Amino acid sequence: MSKVNNVLMVSAEVVPFAKTGGLGDVVGSLPKALNEIGLNCKVVMPLYGNIAMKYKENMKYLGYIYIDMNWRHQYCGIFTLNYQGVDYYFVDNEYYYKKGLVYDDNDLEKYSFLCLACFEVAKYINFKVDILHIHDWHTGAVAALLNDVYCHDLFFANCKCVYTIHNLAYQGIYDKRFVLDYLPLDSRKYENTNSINLMALGIIYAHKVTTVSPTYAKEILTSEYGENLNGVLYNEQNKLVGILNGIDYDSYNCEKDEYIDFKYPKRRFVSGKRANKKALLHELSLNEDVNVPLIGIISRLASQKGMNLVNDVLQGLLAYQNVNVVLLGSGDKKLEYEFDMLAKRYHNKFKAILRFDNQMAHKIYASADLFLMPSAFEPCGLAQMICLQYGTLPLVRCCGGLKDSIEAFNEYTLTGNGFSFNNYNATDFYNTIMYALSVYNRKKLWNKAIRNGFKCDFSWKKSAMEYKKLYEEIK
Ligand code: ADP
């Protein structure tokens, strides 16, 4: 165990520059938290064409290098920006990144470029990396490249690699002919296989593998949650650790959130939420009675997120209960259609906003009473932690990070910060919503659960300390 100073993070998504989900949130917050506890963490990511102008115009152009992707000799511009105390390095190649952050048919090539570029950028800026911290399948090949190629480069002689799995469901599995055409990996290792799984490369070749919650770290060793990689993970389990994500308390803060209609201090959450709820109900043309419970959902519309269960229970909920529901999300086209039809039918009780809209997300967090997250599996989940900051109670399925962050409210001991159910089925989900609504009608209990939620510490500082400890273990 020795001292760690220089950490280089590499990711396809980093908030506030590019985000489709929790990966972006995490890599947007963790470097700042690591620097605050004394490390020197820098970040490499693509210069996507749709990064907001307000960031682009403040970036400094450092110069360019070429990246050799076997026979390809590709231009790589390097731009930098210091944002909130962290140095970000953006690799520029318009062929790969101009059209913005979209996961598409060319992912293998464009993220192979990123995997190679991070090493070359480190050398260009003369950053002697102690820990290369990589995230999800897009950067899994970095671990293999360190093992096969860059370990022979003295510049990386002391470099160790940490790989974080944010979601095992997306693995990046490609025909080996393409992978070996883009990446100078040791082809002898792949003689007996037709395809290469980039997520598996990260797991096998990194010195430590982390997942974003302790429960998910255990779950992925089973065939139920292992996405066919449970065997690989089982072999590597002694280097597998779960560290719960934090959330950015500056971005998600009811006292200073610029996106919401009325900011409120936590101690005045009753009136603060009421004012926001009234404004949102009005904006969305929903039944404007603020006493009616408002149920919020903000999610990718994917089966992972339990959106099929939401679809199953919504009809009954809207037909028989006095509730308002607002759903923000996009994804699965069939689900979008179903939600759209329901919204037309129950237009004064249910609004389906089928797009990605950060401001609307904040408004919903601030206004809703109950927040639904019935995930089939959940590596960590951020939304349940975010909504607690606004005095909105999450109702979750007990799995992964949801299990590690939400404790079911017990009306006798007055403990717990939300509601939860175990079995993935619509009946248990519906019954738990009914129970939550019964607590909503007993305001003293409801407000007690909210106050319990306010007391939880989901700050990044706690997680950053655990990562630091982990880095030091492998040095
Ligand atoms: P995942 O990363 O699996 O999508 P998480 O709960 O970890 O789920 O993180 C989701 C993040 O994305 C949260 O910050 C949530 O508020 C945000 N989000 C999800 N869908 C939308 C949307 N349609 N509009 C705005 N923000 C969204």
Side-chain angles (χ1 to χ4, degrees), residues 19-26 166-167 170 245 252 298-301 304-305 328-330 353-362 365 371 373 378-384 386:
K19 157 171 169 174
T20 67
L23 167 65
D25 283 316
V26 173
H166 296 257
N167 193 337
Y170 304 100
N245 286 334
Y252 299 108
I298 303 171
S299 177
R300 287 184 287 118
L301 300 185
Q304 176 209 327
K305 294 290 181 183
L328 172 66
S330 58
I353 307 166
L354 303 173
R355 59 171 190 267
F356 193 92
D357 183 337
N358 194 31
Q359 172 155 24
M360 182 51 74
H362 283 248
Y365 285 126
F371 188 90
M373 242 178 132
E378 194 60 77
C380 176
L382 299 173
Q384 81 281 12
I386 296 171

Side-chain angles (χ1 to χ4, degrees), residues 137 163 165 167-173 196-204 209 216 219-237 240:
W137 73 263
Y163 181 54
I165 301 169
N167 193 337
L168 197 63
Y170 304 100
Q171 299 181 0
I173 304 171
I196 293 180
N197 181 323
L198 298 174
M199 171 74 82
L201 292 188
I203 295 169
I204 293 165
V209 178
Y216 192 61
E219 287 173 344
I220 56 179
L221 297 174
T222 66
S223 53
E224 189 185 350
Y225 293 97
E227 304 284 347
N228 296 322
L229 280 181
N230 43 308
V232 176
L233 283 158
Y234 189 82
N235 288 337
E236 308 290 340
Q237 63 175 312
L240 179 63

